[in-house]
PDB file of all heavy atoms in Angstrom:
ATOM      1  N   GLY K 800       7.602 -11.195  15.267  1.00  0.00           N
ATOM      2  CA  GLY K 800       7.935  -9.820  15.286  1.00  0.00           C
ATOM      3  C   GLY K 800       9.411  -9.555  15.116  1.00  0.00           C
ATOM      4  O   GLY K 800      10.172 -10.439  14.752  1.00  0.00           O
ATOM      5  N   ILE K 801       9.760  -8.293  15.327  1.00  0.00           N
ATOM      6  CA  ILE K 801      11.129  -7.817  15.163  1.00  0.00           C
ATOM      7  C   ILE K 801      11.710  -7.444  16.550  1.00  0.00           C
ATOM      8  O   ILE K 801      11.019  -6.847  17.332  1.00  0.00           O
ATOM      9  CB  ILE K 801      11.130  -6.543  14.242  1.00  0.00           C
ATOM     10  CG1 ILE K 801      10.595  -6.899  12.861  1.00  0.00           C
ATOM     11  CG2 ILE K 801      12.507  -5.898  14.183  1.00  0.00           C
ATOM     12  CD1 ILE K 801      10.330  -5.666  12.015  1.00  0.00           C
ATOM     13  N   ASP K 802      12.922  -7.767  16.762  1.00  0.00           N
ATOM     14  CA  ASP K 802      13.618  -7.455  18.043  1.00  0.00           C
ATOM     15  C   ASP K 802      13.378  -5.982  18.319  1.00  0.00           C
ATOM     16  O   ASP K 802      13.682  -5.142  17.493  1.00  0.00           O
ATOM     17  CB  ASP K 802      15.103  -7.799  17.978  1.00  0.00           C
ATOM     18  CG  ASP K 802      15.814  -7.699  19.267  1.00  0.00           C
ATOM     19  OD1 ASP K 802      15.728  -6.582  19.918  1.00  0.00           O
ATOM     20  OD2 ASP K 802      16.424  -8.685  19.740  1.00  0.00           O
ATOM     21  N   GLU K 803      12.878  -5.716  19.488  1.00  0.00           N
ATOM     22  CA  GLU K 803      12.462  -4.317  19.816  1.00  0.00           C
ATOM     23  C   GLU K 803      13.619  -3.327  19.683  1.00  0.00           C
ATOM     24  O   GLU K 803      13.387  -2.139  19.417  1.00  0.00           O
ATOM     25  CB  GLU K 803      11.936  -4.295  21.276  1.00  0.00           C
ATOM     26  CG  GLU K 803      11.359  -2.981  21.747  1.00  0.00           C
ATOM     27  CD  GLU K 803      10.005  -2.615  21.051  1.00  0.00           C
ATOM     28  OE1 GLU K 803       9.393  -3.512  20.405  1.00  0.00           O
ATOM     29  OE2 GLU K 803       9.644  -1.448  21.105  1.00  0.00           O
ATOM     30  N   ARG K 804      14.868  -3.804  19.864  1.00  0.00           N
ATOM     31  CA  ARG K 804      16.005  -2.826  19.749  1.00  0.00           C
ATOM     32  C   ARG K 804      16.205  -2.292  18.384  1.00  0.00           C
ATOM     33  O   ARG K 804      16.731  -1.173  18.218  1.00  0.00           O
ATOM     34  CB  ARG K 804      17.192  -3.529  20.349  1.00  0.00           C
ATOM     35  CG  ARG K 804      17.066  -3.630  21.849  1.00  0.00           C
ATOM     36  CD  ARG K 804      17.839  -4.722  22.475  1.00  0.00           C
ATOM     37  NE  ARG K 804      17.713  -5.992  21.849  1.00  0.00           N
ATOM     38  CZ  ARG K 804      18.449  -7.067  22.210  1.00  0.00           C
ATOM     39  NH1 ARG K 804      19.421  -6.949  23.111  1.00  0.00           N
ATOM     40  NH2 ARG K 804      18.272  -8.238  21.632  1.00  0.00           N
ATOM     41  N   VAL K 805      15.727  -3.007  17.347  1.00  0.00           N
ATOM     42  CA  VAL K 805      15.754  -2.445  15.990  1.00  0.00           C
ATOM     43  C   VAL K 805      14.855  -1.247  15.953  1.00  0.00           C
ATOM     44  O   VAL K 805      15.162  -0.186  15.373  1.00  0.00           O
ATOM     45  CB  VAL K 805      15.321  -3.511  14.956  1.00  0.00           C
ATOM     46  CG1 VAL K 805      15.225  -2.878  13.534  1.00  0.00           C
ATOM     47  CG2 VAL K 805      16.294  -4.688  14.950  1.00  0.00           C
ATOM     48  N   LEU K 806      13.680  -1.405  16.552  1.00  0.00           N
ATOM     49  CA  LEU K 806      12.684  -0.267  16.556  1.00  0.00           C
ATOM     50  C   LEU K 806      13.223   0.902  17.329  1.00  0.00           C
ATOM     51  O   LEU K 806      13.059   2.068  17.031  1.00  0.00           O
ATOM     52  CB  LEU K 806      11.329  -0.792  17.089  1.00  0.00           C
ATOM     53  CG  LEU K 806      10.857  -2.029  16.417  1.00  0.00           C
ATOM     54  CD1 LEU K 806       9.521  -2.503  17.012  1.00  0.00           C
ATOM     55  CD2 LEU K 806      10.674  -1.858  14.935  1.00  0.00           C
ATOM     56  N   GLU K 807      13.874   0.611  18.518  1.00  0.00           N
ATOM     57  CA  GLU K 807      14.464   1.676  19.374  1.00  0.00           C
ATOM     58  C   GLU K 807      15.567   2.385  18.634  1.00  0.00           C
ATOM     59  O   GLU K 807      15.672   3.635  18.696  1.00  0.00           O
ATOM     60  CB  GLU K 807      14.963   1.100  20.607  1.00  0.00           C
ATOM     61  CG  GLU K 807      13.864   0.616  21.565  1.00  0.00           C
ATOM     62  CD  GLU K 807      14.399  -0.190  22.780  1.00  0.00           C
ATOM     63  OE1 GLU K 807      15.670  -0.321  22.890  1.00  0.00           O
ATOM     64  OE2 GLU K 807      13.582  -0.633  23.595  1.00  0.00           O
ATOM     65  N   CYS K 808      16.438   1.675  17.959  1.00  0.00           N
ATOM     66  CA  CYS K 808      17.657   2.283  17.358  1.00  0.00           C
ATOM     67  C   CYS K 808      17.303   3.027  16.065  1.00  0.00           C
ATOM     68  O   CYS K 808      17.935   4.046  15.789  1.00  0.00           O
ATOM     69  CB  CYS K 808      18.716   1.261  17.115  1.00  0.00           C
ATOM     70  SG  CYS K 808      19.403   0.564  18.616  1.00  0.00           S
ATOM     71  N   TYR K 809      16.372   2.502  15.243  1.00  0.00           N
ATOM     72  CA  TYR K 809      16.121   3.116  13.970  1.00  0.00           C
ATOM     73  C   TYR K 809      14.863   3.929  13.888  1.00  0.00           C
ATOM     74  O   TYR K 809      14.600   4.590  12.918  1.00  0.00           O
ATOM     75  CB  TYR K 809      16.116   1.980  12.845  1.00  0.00           C
ATOM     76  CG  TYR K 809      17.507   1.434  12.679  1.00  0.00           C
ATOM     77  CD1 TYR K 809      17.959   0.380  13.468  1.00  0.00           C
ATOM     78  CD2 TYR K 809      18.376   1.969  11.731  1.00  0.00           C
ATOM     79  CE1 TYR K 809      19.228  -0.127  13.319  1.00  0.00           C
ATOM     80  CE2 TYR K 809      19.640   1.479  11.565  1.00  0.00           C
ATOM     81  CZ  TYR K 809      20.066   0.395  12.384  1.00  0.00           C
ATOM     82  OH  TYR K 809      21.358  -0.089  12.190  1.00  0.00           O
ATOM     83  N   ARG K 810      14.037   3.828  14.964  1.00  0.00           N
ATOM     84  CA  ARG K 810      12.811   4.646  15.072  1.00  0.00           C
ATOM     85  C   ARG K 810      11.965   4.685  13.763  1.00  0.00           C
ATOM     86  O   ARG K 810      11.593   5.712  13.277  1.00  0.00           O
ATOM     87  CB  ARG K 810      13.152   6.098  15.473  1.00  0.00           C
ATOM     88  CG  ARG K 810      13.787   6.204  16.857  1.00  0.00           C
ATOM     89  CD  ARG K 810      12.857   6.904  17.859  1.00  0.00           C
ATOM     90  NE  ARG K 810      13.034   6.451  19.160  1.00  0.00           N
ATOM     91  CZ  ARG K 810      12.158   5.727  19.873  1.00  0.00           C
ATOM     92  NH1 ARG K 810      11.002   5.424  19.368  1.00  0.00           N
ATOM     93  NH2 ARG K 810      12.390   5.336  21.106  1.00  0.00           N
ATOM     94  N   PRO K 811      11.713   3.485  13.212  1.00  0.00           N
ATOM     95  CA  PRO K 811      10.856   3.470  11.988  1.00  0.00           C
ATOM     96  C   PRO K 811       9.456   3.865  12.352  1.00  0.00           C
ATOM     97  O   PRO K 811       9.017   3.738  13.487  1.00  0.00           O
ATOM     98  CB  PRO K 811      10.918   1.985  11.561  1.00  0.00           C
ATOM     99  CG  PRO K 811      11.085   1.235  12.828  1.00  0.00           C
ATOM    100  CD  PRO K 811      11.928   2.120  13.762  1.00  0.00           C
ATOM    101  N   GLU K 812       8.695   4.256  11.353  1.00  0.00           N
ATOM    102  CA  GLU K 812       7.205   4.449  11.543  1.00  0.00           C
ATOM    103  C   GLU K 812       6.591   3.059  11.319  1.00  0.00           C
ATOM    104  O   GLU K 812       6.633   2.521  10.214  1.00  0.00           O
ATOM    105  CB  GLU K 812       6.698   5.492  10.569  1.00  0.00           C
ATOM    106  CG  GLU K 812       7.253   6.871  10.799  1.00  0.00           C
ATOM    107  CD  GLU K 812       6.830   7.814   9.680  1.00  0.00           C
ATOM    108  OE1 GLU K 812       5.732   8.386   9.768  1.00  0.00           O
ATOM    109  OE2 GLU K 812       7.636   7.975   8.695  1.00  0.00           O
ATOM    110  N   GLU K 813       5.822   2.631  12.345  1.00  0.00           N
ATOM    111  CA  GLU K 813       5.169   1.301  12.203  1.00  0.00           C
ATOM    112  C   GLU K 813       3.788   1.562  11.632  1.00  0.00           C
ATOM    113  O   GLU K 813       3.053   2.480  12.105  1.00  0.00           O
ATOM    114  CB  GLU K 813       5.097   0.666  13.591  1.00  0.00           C
ATOM    115  CG  GLU K 813       6.439   0.308  14.170  1.00  0.00           C
ATOM    116  CD  GLU K 813       6.269  -0.285  15.561  1.00  0.00           C
ATOM    117  OE1 GLU K 813       5.665  -1.334  15.729  1.00  0.00           O
ATOM    118  OE2 GLU K 813       6.815   0.295  16.551  1.00  0.00           O
ATOM    119  N   PHE K 814       3.387   0.778  10.656  1.00  0.00           N
ATOM    120  CA  PHE K 814       2.011   0.924  10.144  1.00  0.00           C
ATOM    121  C   PHE K 814       1.325  -0.452  10.003  1.00  0.00           C
ATOM    122  O   PHE K 814       1.985  -1.482   9.802  1.00  0.00           O
ATOM    123  CB  PHE K 814       2.029   1.663   8.794  1.00  0.00           C
ATOM    124  CG  PHE K 814       2.541   0.814   7.617  1.00  0.00           C
ATOM    125  CD1 PHE K 814       1.712   0.037   6.881  1.00  0.00           C
ATOM    126  CD2 PHE K 814       3.903   0.807   7.329  1.00  0.00           C
ATOM    127  CE1 PHE K 814       2.149  -0.732   5.753  1.00  0.00           C
ATOM    128  CE2 PHE K 814       4.416   0.026   6.264  1.00  0.00           C
ATOM    129  CZ  PHE K 814       3.542  -0.717   5.499  1.00  0.00           C
ATOM    130  N   SER K 815       0.006  -0.374  10.156  1.00  0.00           N
ATOM    131  CA  SER K 815      -0.850  -1.594  10.074  1.00  0.00           C
ATOM    132  C   SER K 815      -1.902  -1.294   8.949  1.00  0.00           C
ATOM    133  O   SER K 815      -2.115  -0.150   8.671  1.00  0.00           O
ATOM    134  CB  SER K 815      -1.551  -1.778  11.446  1.00  0.00           C
ATOM    135  OG  SER K 815      -2.779  -2.501  11.235  1.00  0.00           O
ATOM    136  N   ILE K 816      -2.468  -2.311   8.371  1.00  0.00           N
ATOM    137  CA  ILE K 816      -3.499  -2.059   7.411  1.00  0.00           C
ATOM    138  C   ILE K 816      -4.912  -2.279   8.032  1.00  0.00           C
ATOM    139  O   ILE K 816      -5.916  -2.224   7.307  1.00  0.00           O
ATOM    140  CB  ILE K 816      -3.372  -2.851   6.066  1.00  0.00           C
ATOM    141  CG1 ILE K 816      -3.382  -4.371   6.325  1.00  0.00           C
ATOM    142  CG2 ILE K 816      -2.121  -2.410   5.373  1.00  0.00           C
ATOM    143  CD1 ILE K 816      -3.566  -5.169   5.049  1.00  0.00           C
ATOM    144  N   GLY K 817      -4.995  -2.521   9.326  1.00  0.00           N
ATOM    145  CA  GLY K 817      -6.263  -2.642   9.968  1.00  0.00           C
ATOM    146  C   GLY K 817      -6.322  -3.774  10.922  1.00  0.00           C
ATOM    147  O   GLY K 817      -5.332  -4.493  11.162  1.00  0.00           O
ATOM    148  N   ASP K 818      -7.479  -3.909  11.610  1.00  0.00           N
ATOM    149  CA  ASP K 818      -7.652  -4.861  12.672  1.00  0.00           C
ATOM    150  C   ASP K 818      -7.975  -6.218  12.169  1.00  0.00           C
ATOM    151  O   ASP K 818      -9.140  -6.696  12.212  1.00  0.00           O
ATOM    152  CB  ASP K 818      -8.684  -4.380  13.673  1.00  0.00           C
ATOM    153  CG  ASP K 818      -8.216  -3.079  14.387  1.00  0.00           C
ATOM    154  OD1 ASP K 818      -6.923  -2.835  14.397  1.00  0.00           O
ATOM    155  OD2 ASP K 818      -9.012  -2.316  14.870  1.00  0.00           O
ATOM    156  N   LEU K 819      -7.044  -6.884  11.536  1.00  0.00           N
ATOM    157  CA  LEU K 819      -7.126  -8.242  11.020  1.00  0.00           C
ATOM    158  C   LEU K 819      -5.799  -8.849  11.110  1.00  0.00           C
ATOM    159  O   LEU K 819      -4.790  -8.105  11.169  1.00  0.00           O
ATOM    160  CB  LEU K 819      -7.637  -8.223   9.578  1.00  0.00           C
ATOM    161  CG  LEU K 819      -6.752  -7.283   8.689  1.00  0.00           C
ATOM    162  CD1 LEU K 819      -6.052  -8.137   7.601  1.00  0.00           C
ATOM    163  CD2 LEU K 819      -7.650  -6.292   8.002  1.00  0.00           C
ATOM    164  N   VAL K 820      -5.698 -10.173  11.187  1.00  0.00           N
ATOM    165  CA  VAL K 820      -4.406 -10.829  11.372  1.00  0.00           C
ATOM    166  C   VAL K 820      -3.886 -11.403  10.080  1.00  0.00           C
ATOM    167  O   VAL K 820      -4.496 -12.266   9.476  1.00  0.00           O
ATOM    168  CB  VAL K 820      -4.543 -11.896  12.463  1.00  0.00           C
ATOM    169  CG1 VAL K 820      -3.132 -12.534  12.718  1.00  0.00           C
ATOM    170  CG2 VAL K 820      -5.086 -11.318  13.767  1.00  0.00           C
TER     171      VAL K 820
END
Side-chain angles (χ1 to χ4, degrees):
I801 297 170
D802 190 304
E803 187 68 17
R804 290 157 306 174
V805 174
L806 308 178
E807 290 171 0
C808 292
Y809 291 87
R810 296 250 151 246
E812 294 173 85
E813 298 178 59
F814 72 92
S815 155
I816 60 165
D818 295 337
L819 52 114
V820 182

